[in-house]
C-alpha cells in the first residue's frame, strides 16, 4: 500500500501544471549558435544578420520591420539544444522574409519575447519549459550597399 501511495504522489507531482509550466529565461550566445553546423548548413550566406547595434554597410533600401515567434519541442532535449534549434527556426523565418522582400540583410535584430524587446550584439533570449522552447525576434529587412 505504501508503494502505491508513493507512486501516486510522484505521478501527481509530475502531472501537476507546475511541472509543465516551467518558463526558464536563458540569454545565450549568438556567436556560439552561429558556430553550430546546422546554422552553417541551413542559413543562406547571401543573407546577412546584424544583431543589436552591430555596424553594417550602408542601407540602400528598407523593406520594414518584421517579427517572428517560434516554438519547438523541448522534450528530451537540454534547454540549450532546444534554444539553438528554435533560434535557427526564427532566423530562417527572417531569412525567408528578406528573400521575399528583395533584401540581403536583416539589421537591428532584437529578442522580442512576449513583446519585450531586448537588444544585444552578443546574446539572444530564449524561454524553455518542460515541453516547449521559444524564441521571438524582430528586425529590419534591408538591402545593403555592396
Amino acid at each position: 500500500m505504501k508503494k502505491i501511495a508513493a507512486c501516486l504522489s510522484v505521478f501527481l507531482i509530475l502531472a501537476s501544471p507546475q511541472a509543465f509550466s516551467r518558463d526558464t529565461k536563458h540569454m545565450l550566445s549568438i556567436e556560439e549558435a552561429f558556430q553550430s553546423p546546422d546554422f552553417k548548413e541551413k542559413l543562406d550566406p547571401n543573407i546577412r544578420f546584424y544583431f543589436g547595434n552591430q555596424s553594417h554597410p550602408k542601407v540602400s533600401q528598407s523593406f520594414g520591420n518584421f517579427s517572428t515567434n517560434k516554438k519547438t519541442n523541448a522534450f528530451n532535449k537540454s534547454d540549450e539544444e532546444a534554444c539553438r534549434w528554435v533560434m535557427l527556426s526564427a532566423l530562417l523565418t527572417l531569412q525567408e522574409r528578406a528573400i521575399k522582400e528583395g533584401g540581403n540583410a536583416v539589421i537591428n535584430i532584437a529578442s522580442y519575447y512576449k513583446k519585450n524587446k531586448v537588444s544585444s550584439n552578443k546574446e539572444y533570449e530564449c524561454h524553455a519549459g518542460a515541453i516547449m522552447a521559444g524564441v521571438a525576434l524582430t528586425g529590419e529587412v534591408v538591402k545593403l550597399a555592396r
Side-chain angles (χ1 to χ4, degrees), residues 6 29 34 46-47 83 87 95 102 113-114 118 126 128:
S29 168
F34 273 85
N46 297 312
I47 305 296
C83 286
M87 173 63 156
Q95 174 180 282
Y113 198 80
K114 293 188 178 177
V118 177
C126 175

Side-chain angles (χ1 to χ4, degrees), residues 2-59:
K2 284 184 179 181
K3 196 172 195 176
I4 292 171
C7 288
L8 184 58
S9 295
V10 169
F11 173 77
L12 290 174
I13 289 169
L14 292 176
S16 73
Q18 292 81 12
F20 292 105
S21 64
R22 180 173 70 88
D23 185 18
T24 305
K25 176 182 172 180
H26 296 280
M27 296 301 293
L28 300 169
S29 168
I30 294 165
E31 184 178 339
E32 283 181 26
F34 273 85
Q35 296 306 313
S36 163
D38 287 328
F39 279 62
K40 291 178 180 181
E41 176 186 325
K42 296 180 190 294
L43 291 176
D44 183 339
N46 297 312
I47 305 296
R48 306 286 304 185
F49 297 99
Y50 297 91
F51 289 80
N53 61 3
Q54 289 177 322
S55 63
H56 52 77
K58 183 179 176 173
V59 173

Side-chain angles (χ1 to χ4, degrees), residues 65-82:
N65 290 301
F66 297 92
S67 297
T68 179
N69 184 358
K70 292 297 187 178
K71 305 282 188 226
T72 194
N73 179 347
F75 185 74
N76 210 23
K77 295 180 183 99
S78 71
D79 285 0
E80 291 76 13
E81 180 184 5

Side-chain angles (χ1 to χ4, degrees), residues 54-136:
Q54 289 177 322
S55 63
H56 52 77
K58 183 179 176 173
V59 173
S60 63
Q61 186 175 5
S62 174
F63 300 97
N65 290 301
F66 297 92
S67 297
T68 179
N69 184 358
K70 292 297 187 178
K71 305 282 188 226
T72 194
N73 179 347
F75 185 74
N76 210 23
K77 295 180 183 99
S78 71
D79 285 0
E80 291 76 13
E81 180 184 5
C83 286
R84 263 194 312 276
W85 188 253
V86 75
M87 173 63 156
L88 176 58
S89 179
L91 289 171
L92 286 169
T93 300
L94 289 176
Q95 174 180 282
E96 289 169 14
R97 177 56 81 158
I99 292 168
K100 178 181 175 188
E101 299 294 329
N104 63 5
V106 184
I107 63 172
N108 305 320
I109 300 172
S111 294
Y112 199 56
Y113 198 80
K114 293 188 178 177
K115 298 186 179 181
N116 179 36
K117 192 172 183 179
V118 177
S119 182
S120 173
N121 295 4
K122 297 184 181 293
E123 296 179 315
Y124 67 97
E125 182 176 356
C126 175
H127 286 246
I131 56 174
M132 298 293 283
V135 167

